[in-house]
Amino acid sequence: MSLLEVKDLQVRVEEREILHGLSLTVNPGEVHAIMGPNGSGKSTLSHVIAGKPGYEVTGGQILFRGEDLLEMEPNERAAQGVFLAFQYPVEIPGVTTWNFLHAALNAQRKARGEDEISSPAFLKKVREVARSLNIPQDMLKRGVNVGFSGGEKKRNEILQMALFEPAVCILDEMDSGLDIDALRIAADGVNALRSPERAMVVITHYQRLLNYIVPDFVHVMSKGRVVKSGGKELALELEESGYAQFEDAA
Amino acid sequence: MNVVAKTETGRALGDAFAVVRDRLPGEGKIADQRRQAFEAYERSGLPHRRIEDWKYTDLRALMREVLPLAASPDDAALSRARAVVQARAIEGVRRLVLVDGAFAPDLSDWQDLEKGLSINPLRLALEAGDEIVATQALASDVANPMIALNGAMATDGVVIDVAHGTVLTQPLHIVHVASGTAPASTFTRSLLRLGRDAGVTLVESYLAADGAKAYQTHDGLVVAIGDNSRLDHVRLVEDSVDAFNISSATVSLGAHAHFNTFGLTSGGHVSRYQLTVTCAGEGSTVETNGVNLINGKQHADTTLFMDHAVPHCASREVFRAVVDDRAHSVFQGRIIVRPDAQKTDAKMMTRALLLSDDAEADNKPELEIFADDVTCGHGATTGALDESLLFYMRARGLPEKEAQALLIQAFVGEAIETIASDELREVAIAAAQRWLQARA
């Protein structure tokens, strides 16, 4: 059984259809890149997989380990192992990163019928992960993402990914707003999390990110559909020729 | 001739006073003072929406009946009170308990007092004819009808004196418990007098014993903070959801005195807290902060009057309201800067969070400035929880109510953080947690 199966997905936002029958199959251990011009529906796909309100699914389905993902609340999806790294992580003043991560991890464990993790055990775990990602300890004491730089916010997303150990990670435009050094650090963090059990879907506008996170498959989206799929060489091809050819194809 | 139109309730209050006045503690001048206070009340009667200060809390509409004065608590009432007092006990405090409006000596820790501290039941002071106590405790602000009514009717309370130079290490905790099984009303007044260079930490809570339901609590606190003295104060209204709580605090500060107060209202069907603070000595500083956490059909009104009477004083108000279901929160904050009060620094910020479409929050900040060299400001906002934050949190695994709870905690945390005393902050956080847990 595939880990994540998107079948003929049709999605509307406020009367306008954004996805017109999108299909994608992701197996454990695979890294898929989804590329496409602005407005092709890449972020909509990531939002619908995570369960963001405001999107109306008018056709098709999304199966996660064979179960209907669209029937689950966003928090249930997270507990089942779906993780979305946000393009624009929000700032939550007054809620410390530490407190938030502890509450979220315990909520996920509770939903899976596992025991809650104690404060000392959590502290140990989160410190280890933070160290491996070069995240200063004092960031954990601050409000979630409050006053963080773009690079820090993205690293905080990867910290959460490492902590929650999801089965599938959707990385939405992880490279946006990052300089080359910040990008390298973030990509190293992601690569460290690649494993035979875990799948990744890397959404990006630019080929650049894929120099650091090398995908197994590349899909090109245009106007709400996947118009071409191939291996990692497809990304290089796009770098050469641009998206224009596909916009015509769609 | 009294030309004020009266409601049934207003008339019933007049009858109640006529019935009980001979049984109220204190004779002679004290009884005269009560009569004058009642006449002051009668001149306006039960406040209603056409009186600007009561626009959002129309007692003629909300207070449908006057309940008989509570009977002295019997053994059963005391034992129910003891249970709730113990369940809500705060570690390390000196507890003073009023049950159904009467000081409960056996539930109170009022022996073996620290040097410089004296505690007496108001009833005893009035029965002994202590006119100074009577004047200070009962006569505050009779221009306000409900404070006047409270002064006329008050049967008991605590009188606390802290001598010059005495800084109490142990916080005081005044606990008001409604314990009678028959609906009744209570009228209490307490007096706290701090000498010079003194310091006190005071908690007040309002609780219902098991079985106490639609009762009416009328309470007043009168505080005088001497020069260079400091009062840290937390007030928790956790009455039963069908109770009334109409209370006031009247506080004056001497020179270089400091007052840090925080009020949290999560209980009661209808509550109104009128806090009047006067900076009467130069260089005094005031922080008055609060939180309303209400749902169902609750109505909670905090009305603050900050009076800058002299120069070089500072005041800060941070108020937060979280309103769910069909509840109604009111915050009125008036700051007056008198002509002589140059160099006043006064700021007020109030924010309301509406958790449902039917929730209502009225924020009314008012500044009246009669001096020209001052720094004053105020702001008010009302809004809902940020959907993008909620989605982010849910996408990390938090169920909606838990995500909301974290955001609500952060929202009220901005007011709770202003509590200077660590132990009082913990007390306030615990009360906010109780509300959030009951909601989850």
Side-chain angles (χ1 to χ4, degrees):
Chain A
M1 190 197 308
S2 298
L3 190 57
L4 181 71
E5 267 184 282
V6 180
K7 293 183 183 172
D8 195 28
L9 189 68
Q10 290 153 45
V11 174
R12 280 171 173 271
V13 179
E14 291 170 358
E15 302 304 306
R16 200 163 77 88
E17 191 169 274
I18 307 286
L19 300 182
H20 319 282
L22 184 142
S23 297
L24 177 72
T25 300
V26 179
N27 292 303
E30 294 175 354
V31 174
H32 292 249
I34 295 185
M35 303 186 68
N38 290 330
S40 58
K42 305 189 298 293
S43 284
T44 296
L45 174 65
S46 73
H47 291 159
V48 173
I49 292 173
K52 187 174 181 172
Y55 295 89
E56 189 194 350
V57 177
T58 52
Q61 58 180 170
I62 304 178
L63 299 178
F64 180 70
R65 293 190 176 121
E67 285 187 54
D68 187 353
L69 195 68
L70 296 173
E71 285 299 305
M72 299 181 203
E73 294 292 325
N75 45 296
E76 294 171 317
R77 302 180 194 196
Q80 292 303 313
V82 176
F83 182 91
L84 170 64
F86 282 55
Q87 180 179 6
Y88 302 109
V90 297
E91 298 189 8
I92 315 178
V95 179
T96 61
T97 304
W98 148 267
N99 216 352
F100 171 63
L101 297 181
H102 193 192
L105 183 60
N106 273 340
Q108 290 196 17
R109 294 176 68 101
K110 196 173 157 196
R112 294 192 294 259
E114 297 166 15
D115 287 340
E116 295 200 344
I117 184 164
S118 70
S119 287
F122 174 75
L123 183 64
K124 190 163 175 280
K125 190 176 165 91
V126 76
R127 275 191 178 147
E128 279 169 14
V129 177
R131 200 172 298 125
S132 72
L133 286 166
N134 233 338
I135 291 175
Q137 301 287 325
D138 76 292
M139 254 171 74
L140 301 172
K141 295 178 197 153
R142 281 149 59 185
V144 176
N145 292 324
V146 176
F148 287 20
S149 69
E152 285 173 331
K153 283 180 182 169
K154 294 295 166 83
R155 266 187 280 161
N156 195 16
E157 294 294 284
I158 296 160
L159 168 80
Q160 296 178 47
M161 205 155 87
L163 199 62
F164 299 142
E165 302 174 32
V168 60
C169 308
I170 319 287
L171 307 170
D172 189 6
E173 305 273 4
M174 201 190 78
D175 46 342
S176 70
L178 295 192
D179 61 32
I180 199 73
D181 292 327
L183 178 63
R184 190 177 289 125
I185 295 170
D188 287 348
V190 172
N191 286 327
L193 294 172
R194 289 178 77 153
S195 84
E197 294 80 37
R198 183 172 294 138
M200 305 219 180
V201 177
V202 182
I203 293 172
T204 182
H205 186 89
Y206 299 106
Q207 193 272 336
R208 184 180 74 159
L209 176 65
L210 305 180
N211 291 335
Y212 298 95
I213 304 172
V214 180
D216 302 307
F217 304 96
V218 173
H219 310 277
V220 182
M221 266 184 85
S222 179
K223 296 179 182 167
R225 285 191 186 88
V226 171
V227 291
K228 188 167 188 184
S229 296
K232 61 185 172 196
E233 66 288 345
L234 179 57
L236 293 168
E237 199 180 302
L238 278 170
E239 181 83 348
E240 294 281 317
S241 55
Y243 289 117
Q245 52 174 322
F246 299 107
E247 294 195 44
D248 297 339
Chain B
M1 192 181 70
N2 192 342
V3 295
V4 176
K6 285 186 183 172
T7 58
E8 287 296 317
T9 313
R11 243 191 308 278
L13 274 165
D15 296 345
F17 183 69
V19 169
V20 299
R21 67 196 223 178
D22 294 336
R23 290 192 277 128
L24 295 170
E27 297 170 339
K29 282 187 180 171
I30 298 172
D32 286 347
Q33 202 180 309
R34 287 184 185 279
R35 188 176 41 73
Q36 285 162 16
F38 194 79
E39 284 167 7
Y41 160 75
E42 280 223 302
R43 277 193 289 276
S44 57
L46 210 54
H48 52 84
R49 63 192 153 79
R50 288 189 303 280
I51 297 173
E52 185 61 23
D53 273 1
W54 295 85
K55 185 174 161 186
Y56 302 110
T57 301
D58 183 342
L59 288 186
R60 283 195 190 167
L62 293 166
M63 238 173 110
R64 293 290 164 75
E65 56 180 344
V66 165
L67 300 172
L69 209 54
S72 298
D74 57 17
D75 287 348
L78 287 170
S79 124
R80 287 191 299 272
R82 185 188 296 273
V84 67
V85 165
Q86 282 171 350
R88 286 294 167 78
I90 299 169
E91 279 292 304
V93 298
R94 181 181 291 284
R95 201 184 300 139
L96 305 165
V97 182
L98 296 157
V99 178
D100 292 335
F103 183 71
D106 294 343
L107 300 185
S108 300
D109 179 15
W110 63 309
Q111 309 295 336
D112 303 317
L113 302 180
E114 293 168 62
K115 192 170 168 293
L117 171 64
S118 117
I119 296 172
N120 289 295
L122 178 73
R123 173 179 282 274
L124 294 185
L126 297 177
E127 284 175 350
D130 189 332
E131 288 174 12
I132 295 173
V133 162
T135 304
Q136 292 186 351
L138 300 185
S140 78
D141 195 10
V142 291
N144 184 306
M146 296 313 283
I147 298 178
L149 177 70
N150 180 256
M153 301 284 277
T155 54
D156 209 345
V158 285
V159 178
I160 302 167
D161 285 292
V162 181
H164 300 311
T166 301
V167 176
L168 295 183
T169 50
Q170 191 179 23
L172 304 174
H173 184 194
I174 301 176
V175 189
H176 296 262
V177 186
S179 188
T181 45
S185 61
T186 62
F187 292 84
T188 48
R189 238 336 139 80
S190 293
L191 176 64
L192 170 60
R193 295 181 290 198
L194 274 78
R196 292 184 307 273
D197 306 307
V200 172
T201 299
L202 172 68
V203 183
E204 288 182 283
S205 15
Y206 299 84
L207 299 171
D210 196 24
K213 288 218 166 74
Y215 56 90
Q216 295 175 352
T217 295
H218 299 258
D219 183 40
L221 174 69
V222 176
V223 181
I225 307 174
D227 295 349
N228 277 318
S229 291
R230 176 183 180 102
L231 174 63
D232 286 282
H233 175 230
V234 160
R235 180 177 186 273
L236 307 173
V237 177
E238 297 185 276
D239 282 303
S240 77
V241 291
D242 41 15
F244 268 67
N245 187 321
I246 308 293
S247 299
S248 68
T250 308
V251 181
S252 76
L253 286 88
H256 303 285
H258 186 72
F259 178 41
N260 181 296
T261 181
F262 176 86
L264 182 144
T265 299
S266 58
H269 172 220
V270 173
S271 65
R272 161 107 166 182
Y273 176 49
Q274 310 186 89
L275 171 61
T276 303
V277 183
T278 306
C279 287
E282 291 193 18
S284 54
T285 52
V286 178
E287 291 157 86
T288 65
N289 308 305
V291 166
N292 278 351
L293 292 164
I294 52 173
N295 54 21
K297 292 180 180 176
Q298 286 180 290
H299 177 109
D301 173 340
T302 296
T303 292
L304 169 74
F305 177 36
M306 180 70 234
D307 187 349
H308 283 276
V310 297
H312 297 286
C313 295
S315 64
R316 290 286 178 276
E317 286 88 45
V318 176
F319 191 81
R320 297 285 179 268
V322 179
V323 194
D324 202 354
D325 304 328
R326 298 172 60 191
H328 183 186
S329 172
V330 179
F331 175 78
Q332 306 187 104
R334 191 164 144 225
I335 301 175
I336 182 162
V337 181
R338 308 263 177 201
D340 290 341
Q342 300 295 358
K343 305 287 180 193
T344 289
D345 175 3
K347 287 185 187 70
M348 170 160 56
M349 183 65 205
T350 162
R351 291 175 64 196
L353 183 59
L354 302 179
L355 300 179
S356 97
D357 291 342
D358 296 322
E360 184 178 342
D362 292 298
N363 285 320
K364 197 175 80 175
E366 277 181 283
L367 281 175
E368 291 176 54
I369 303 170
F370 299 100
D372 51 16
D373 184 11
V374 300
T375 310
C376 294
H378 68 73
T381 65
T382 300
L385 284 174
D386 185 328
E387 289 293 334
S388 67
L389 302 196
L390 278 176
F391 173 62
Y392 184 81
M393 298 170 90
R394 294 176 73 198
R396 294 298 176 254
L398 288 166
E400 190 160 20
K401 286 258 171 167
E402 276 187 55
Q404 288 184 351
L406 279 179
L407 293 179
I408 293 167
Q409 269 177 42
F411 180 76
V412 301
E414 294 167 28
I416 291 177
E417 273 169 19
T418 62
I419 300 173
S421 145
D422 291 343
E423 43 195 343
L424 289 189
R425 206 178 312 118
E426 291 305 315
V427 167
I429 289 169
Q433 289 290 356
R434 280 195 286 277
W435 187 81
L436 286 168
Q437 273 158 16
R439 189 178 177 269

